[in-house]
Amino acid sequence: VDLGSVSVGILSGLQMSHLKISESPTFSKGTFLSSDQFSLKIALVPLLFHKVIVRQIVLKQPEVFIIRNADGKTFNFSDLTSSTTASAPQAKESLPFLLLISRAEIQKGAIHFVDHSPAKQSLDIAPFDLKLKNVSLTAPFSVQTALHVKSKGTDIAFNFAGQANLLDGTFTIQQGGLAARDSKVLFSGTLSRLKTEEPAVNLKMDIPKLLLEDFAAFVPMPAGMAIKNPLKGTLSVEGDQKSMELQSQLSLGALRLDSRGKVQNVT
C-alpha cells in the first residue's frame, strides 16, 4: 500500500490522498486500485445516541484494474478470499443503532477489466460517476449514475436515476437511457424481490432508434448477416424466471411487428 497523506480533524473528518494498492506481491506487478482522494465526515454528537450519521463520503478518481487469468476462473483479487477462512461468529443480539449517509459520491471513477481468458471480453468503464443521497438501511434513498462502457471500438453511454430500498429489496428506475453512436434507448421500471432467489422485473423501454451494429462489440451478429435499418418502437417486460409477460410494438424498415406473449420457466 502506498499513501500520499492522511489527516483527521473534528470538522474536516478523515482525508486520504493518493492511495494505491499494488497487485500481488508488489507494485512491480502493477497497481490494483488507486484513488486521488478519499474523504469521510461523520457527525459526532449523534454517536452518543447510537446514531451513525455520515455527512459525506467522497471518492475522487478511483481506478480499479480487474484481471481475469487465462484459466477463465481466477482473477487478480482471488487471493484476497479463501474458502478455508473461518466465518466470524454471529452475534445473538445486534446493537440498536441508526445508520444514515447524507451523501456518498464517486467522481470520475474508472474500472478496467482485462481478460486473458479465451473469451477475450476486455472492457473499460470510464468515466464512472455515482451519487447517493440519504442512504438508509430502512428507508428508500436516491441513486444517480452515469458511465461509459467501452470495448472493441464501441462506446455505450449509460445513465439512470431512481430509488433503492435495502429493506424490501426493490429498485425503482425513474428514468434511464443508453446511447451508442446513432442509437438511443430509454427505459423505466422496477426491480423487486432482489433479496430472494426469485427476483422480478417490470421494465418498459422506448426505442427511438436502435442500430444493431452499434452494439456489435457486445452482441455480435452472425457471420455474413447485416441489418442496416434501425429498430424503432416500444417493449415491455414483466414477471420473473417462472413466467415473463412480453409486449412489443416494433418496426424494422417496412416490417412491423406487434406482439404479446409469455415466456415460462426461464433457466
Side-chain angles (χ1 to χ4, degrees), residues 199-216:
V201 61
N202 184 355
L203 191 64
K204 296 180 180 180
M205 288 181 280
D206 181 19
I207 308 173
K209 185 178 182 180
L210 175 62
L211 290 165
L212 297 181
E213 61 182 16
D214 290 345
F215 300 87

Side-chain angles (χ1 to χ4, degrees), residues 1-5 16-23 26-27 30-38 59 61-63 65:
V1 176
D2 185 38
L3 191 60
S5 65
M16 301 171 61
S17 67
H18 303 294
L19 169 67
K20 294 182 180 179
I21 300 176
S22 74
E23 294 284 359
T26 65
F27 281 104
T31 301
F32 169 60
L33 181 148
S34 65
S35 178
D36 283 0
Q37 183 178 355
F38 170 76
L59 198 60
Q61 293 186 309
E63 190 170 17
F65 284 87

Side-chain angles (χ1 to χ4, degrees), residues 22-252:
S22 74
E23 294 284 359
S24 179
T26 65
F27 281 104
S28 63
K29 291 294 185 180
T31 301
F32 169 60
L33 181 148
S34 65
S35 178
D36 283 0
Q37 183 178 355
F38 170 76
S39 64
L40 173 65
K41 297 181 181 180
I42 297 179
L44 300 180
V45 174
L47 293 175
L48 301 176
F49 303 94
H50 301 284
K51 296 180 180 180
V52 181
I53 299 181
V54 180
R55 291 183 294 168
Q56 175 180 290
I57 300 177
V58 177
L59 198 60
K60 293 184 178 181
Q61 293 186 309
E63 190 170 17
V64 180
F65 284 87
I66 299 176
I67 301 174
R68 180 158 63 179
N69 299 319
D71 60 9
K73 299 179 181 179
T74 59
F75 297 81
N76 59 332
F77 56 81
S78 296
D79 60 340
L80 297 178
T81 60
S82 174
S83 59
T84 60
T85 302
S87 59
Q90 297 294 325
K92 292 183 178 180
E93 294 183 2
S94 59
L95 293 175
F97 72 96
L98 171 69
L99 173 64
L100 177 66
I101 302 174
S102 299
R103 173 184 167 223
E105 190 171 348
I106 295 176
Q107 300 176 359
K108 297 181 180 179
I111 301 173
H112 307 286
F113 177 56
V114 182
D115 191 3
H116 294 309
S117 75
K120 302 296 181 183
Q121 295 176 333
S122 299
L123 58 84
D124 296 298
I125 302 176
F128 170 51
D129 295 296
L130 175 67
K131 294 181 180 180
L132 307 177
K133 290 185 178 180
N134 299 323
V135 179
S136 169
L137 300 178
T138 59
F141 58 90
S142 66
V143 180
Q144 184 177 351
T145 187
L147 55 91
H148 282 252
V149 182
K150 305 171 184 177
S151 178
K152 301 177 182 178
T154 299
D155 185 344
I156 299 179
F158 178 78
N159 67 84
F160 69 81
Q163 279 196 332
N165 191 324
L166 299 180
L167 184 62
D168 61 10
T170 61
F171 187 84
T172 301
I173 302 173
Q174 296 168 341
Q175 59 180 5
L178 59 89
R181 296 178 184 171
D182 294 328
S183 298
K184 185 177 182 180
V185 177
L186 306 175
F187 55 88
S188 62
T190 302
L191 307 176
S192 58
R193 306 204 304 254
L194 297 177
K195 297 171 65 175
T196 72
E197 295 181 355
E198 297 181 356
V201 61
N202 184 355
L203 191 64
K204 296 180 180 180
M205 288 181 280
D206 181 19
I207 308 173
K209 185 178 182 180
L210 175 62
L211 290 165
L212 297 181
E213 61 182 16
D214 290 345
F215 300 87
F218 301 93
V219 186
M221 297 289 292
M225 176 180 289
I227 300 177
K228 299 298 182 181
N229 290 323
L231 184 68
K232 300 179 182 181
T234 61
L235 173 66
S236 63
V237 181
E238 182 177 3
D240 54 27
Q241 62 185 17
K242 291 183 178 180
S243 180
M244 186 78 67
E245 296 279 352
L246 303 174
Q247 186 172 352
S248 67
Q249 293 181 335
L250 302 171
S251 64
L252 183 64

